[in-house]
Every structure is written in C-alpha cells, then in structure tokens.
Amino acid sequence: MKKFKTHTLVGGTLIAVLLVLAAVAAVWTPYNPLGIDLRAKLQPPSPAHWLGTDEFGRDVASRAMRAASTSCLVALLTVVLATAIGMAVGVVAGFLRGWTDRVLMAVNDTLLAFPGLLLALAVMVIVGANQWGIVLALSLAYAPSVVRVVRGTVLSLREREYVEASRMVGNSELYTMWRHVLPNCVAPVAVLATSMFGWVLLSESALSFLGLGVPPPAPTWGNMLASARPYMASAVWLCVVPGLCIALTLLGINLLGESLRDRLDPRTEQA
C-alpha cells in the first residue's frame, strides 16, 4: 500500500503538471513560440528567458510548453483510437472464434511482426507527415497489442455463466458482447492504455526527431532535440529542456501505470 501511494503521488503529480502546462500552452505562453528574434539568439537562461533561447531567438520555455500541448494531444488521440480499434477487433475475434478469429488474428500477427516504429513510418509514407498522419500511423502500430490483450481476456470470459445466461434468454451475440463481455475488458485495457500513452509519446518524439513528425516550425520535443544537435556544446540547455521533459513524462506515466496495475490486479495485491 505504501508503494502504491508513493507511485500514485509521484506519477500523478508529474502527469498533472504536464497536463496543466499543456492546457495553459494551448491559450497562453510567455512568448510567441514561433516568434523569431535574431538579436536574442542562443541566450542562456535568464530572468527574461527562464530556459534560454534557441538559434532563432525563440523562447525555449514557450516552445517546450507548446510542444507539451502538441505531444499530449497526439498521444491522447492515438491511445483512444488504438484502444477503440483493438477492443473492437479483440472482442469480435475472441468471442466469435472460428474463421473470424483465424482471419483477424492472422492480420494482427502480421502487423505485430513489424516493429511499431517501422510500421508507423510505412503508414506515414502513404498518409503523409502531419499531425493526423502521426495519429493514424501510431494507432495502427499499437492497436495489435491491444487486440492481443483483449482477445485473451475475452477467451476466458466467453464461457462464464452470465454469458451463457445471456444467450439462453435470447440475446444476440452482438448484445452479449457489448453488454457483458466488453465491460469486463476495461481493467486490463486501462493499464495497457496508460503505458501506451508513454510509448506513443516516445514514438512521436522519435518521429519528430527524424523529421517525420509535426512539420516545423510547430514545436515538439522531438524536433527541438533535433534542432539542438549542432549546439550541444555551446548551448546545452537546448537539448536538456526537451530531453528532461520527455524523461519526466515517461517516468510519471510508468509510475502511474504501475500503481494502476497494482490497484486493478488482485493477485499483485495478495502477493
């Protein structure tokens, strides 16, 4: 219980700070994140610019805040879409079985054979490198993992007494899946979705670092790191700020996901 409280407190605090910064940055930042001022370029942290300026004189703190807003939006939309696709396919495959299960899982296993980032890159070649393209690409890359988890859960639920009772009273298969099977898949999917938020955030940063994410000059933590590479020796704050933002966000997500897993899994609590 002490471990659960500590992880929840630390992880929840980090994620709460991230969400507050993202929400504030959507309507206000100390400076214009896109505003160029060559007279103030590469200034170290100071009272005027708390986290310094970049090679174009743009305020790093303002850009990091706006990047948090962009990254959170991409990660949230991706997790929602991947979870929706994964739960729909996983429930249908696990509940109906037969040829439906074999076909769906053959496609799912094919997608799982590709590394997630490589699959996302392939999808983005087709849909284009933009914010919505990233969401679609990463959703298709992470949905197969959700399918696996949901299908395994449904296989253990489809033979339960309340499912048989629903069939015996004349309810359709679709109603039984929606009313009795799907709600019981929420707990494991909630834990997976929490962890997936961190994976998606890291993948989005990697794509932006490679120049395949949200197009510049819109700031993301990944493209901020990419543009900071030539100045790592002379302006170290340019890479420390976005790198620290990514690291703290992943730490918060992992701690929160672990505490949620301990809360929802009675076997962990008994151990």
Side-chain angles (χ1 to χ4, degrees), residues 18 21-22 25 63-73 201 219-221:
L18 170 69
L21 287 177
R63 289 181 62 79
M65 290 175 61
R66 183 61 61 83
S69 181
T70 303
S71 298
C72 283
L73 179 61
L201 193 68
T220 65
W221 291 332

Side-chain angles (χ1 to χ4, degrees), residues 15 176 214 230:
I15 298 305
T176 302
V214 178

Side-chain angles (χ1 to χ4, degrees), residues 17 39 42-43 61 78 155 210 218 237:
V17 171
R39 295 172 298 179
L42 296 178
Q43 288 188 357
T78 300
L155 288 177
L210 295 174
W237 61 88

Side-chain angles (χ1 to χ4, degrees), residues 67-86:
S69 181
T70 303
S71 298
C72 283
L73 179 61
V74 169
L76 181 60
L77 292 176
T78 300
V79 169
V80 170
L81 183 57
T83 302
I85 295 173

Side-chain angles (χ1 to χ4, degrees), residues 72-133:
C72 283
L73 179 61
V74 169
L76 181 60
L77 292 176
T78 300
V79 169
V80 170
L81 183 57
T83 302
I85 295 173
M87 291 190 72
V89 176
V91 169
V92 171
F95 192 79
L96 297 182
R97 299 299 303 274
W99 66 268
T100 304
D101 182 32
R102 290 193 293 271
V103 171
L104 291 177
M105 295 313 297
V107 175
N108 193 71
D109 291 342
T110 302
L111 294 177
L112 281 174
F114 292 92
L117 197 58
L118 181 61
L119 180 60
L121 288 172
V123 174
M124 290 184 65
V125 170
I126 301 173
V127 300
N130 53 66
Q131 183 170 324
W132 303 111

Side-chain angles (χ1 to χ4, degrees), residues 140-151:
L140 294 178
Y142 285 106
S145 300
V146 182
V147 173
R148 273 293 179 185
V149 172
V150 173
R151 177 180 177 271

